[in-house]
Structures are given as structure tokens and as C-alpha cells.
């Protein structure tokens, strides 16, 4: 689950394991095991980085609607 979807939280993995095996596992244990395996969480970018062209076009758009 964590290998296929790197954005899934350790708490979600723990809940999934508990629902499948009916044994509780702490989220911290999941975090440690993933870290030992070399996996880490990947958070999505808040926004795409803007190129110079994007900035220029955005500035032109803002100047037009500001008037």
C-alpha cells in the first residue's frame, strides 16, 4: 500500500492492516518499518514553480484586471 501510493499516511496503513488482520499496529511502528526499508513519505507540491514566462503572463493579466 505505501509502496504504490507514497502519499498515504502511516495512520492509514495501520488502519488498513487492522481491518485486514484484526490486529492493531501503531502508526509509529509503521513509520519505523517503512524507514528501515528505505521508504519515506512524499508530500505533493503546494504549487508548481513559475517560469519567467508564467510570471510575465500573470503580471500582464493582473495589470489588465486591476484597471
Amino acid at each position: 500500500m505505501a509502496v504504490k501510493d507514497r502519499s498515504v499516511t502511516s495512520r492509514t496503513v495501520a488502519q488498513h492492516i487492522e481491518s485486514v488482520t484484526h490486529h492493531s499496529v501503531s502508526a509509529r511502528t509503521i513509520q519505523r518499518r517503512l524507514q528501515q526499508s528505505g521508504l519515506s513519505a512524499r508530500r505533493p507540491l503546494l504549487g508548481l514553480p513559475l517560469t519567467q514566462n508564467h510570471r510575465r503572463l500573470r503580471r500582464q493579466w493582473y495589470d489588465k484586471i486591476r484597471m
Side-chain angles (χ1 to χ4, degrees), residues 3-16:
V3 175
K4 291 181 183 177
D5 183 8
R6 298 285 296 271
S7 65
V8 70
T9 64
S10 57
R11 192 167 282 150
T12 305
V13 174
Q15 289 171 351
H16 177 73

Side-chain angles (χ1 to χ4, degrees), residues 42-55:
R42 296 179 68 184
R43 295 183 181 169
L45 290 174
L46 295 177
L48 294 174
L50 297 178
T51 64
Q52 291 295 333
N53 188 37
H54 288 133
R55 290 179 187 163

Side-chain angles (χ1 to χ4, degrees), residues 10 19-21 26 38 45 51 61-62:
S10 57
S19 69
V20 172
T21 64
S26 72
L45 290 174
T51 64
W61 171 81
Y62 177 74

Side-chain angles (χ1 to χ4, degrees), residues 21-40:
T21 64
H22 304 294
H23 293 290
S24 63
V25 179
S26 72
R28 182 67 185 128
T29 301
I30 302 294
Q31 289 174 356
R32 280 195 306 268
R33 296 295 182 242
L34 291 174
Q35 188 177 17
Q36 287 172 354
S37 300
L39 295 174
S40 61

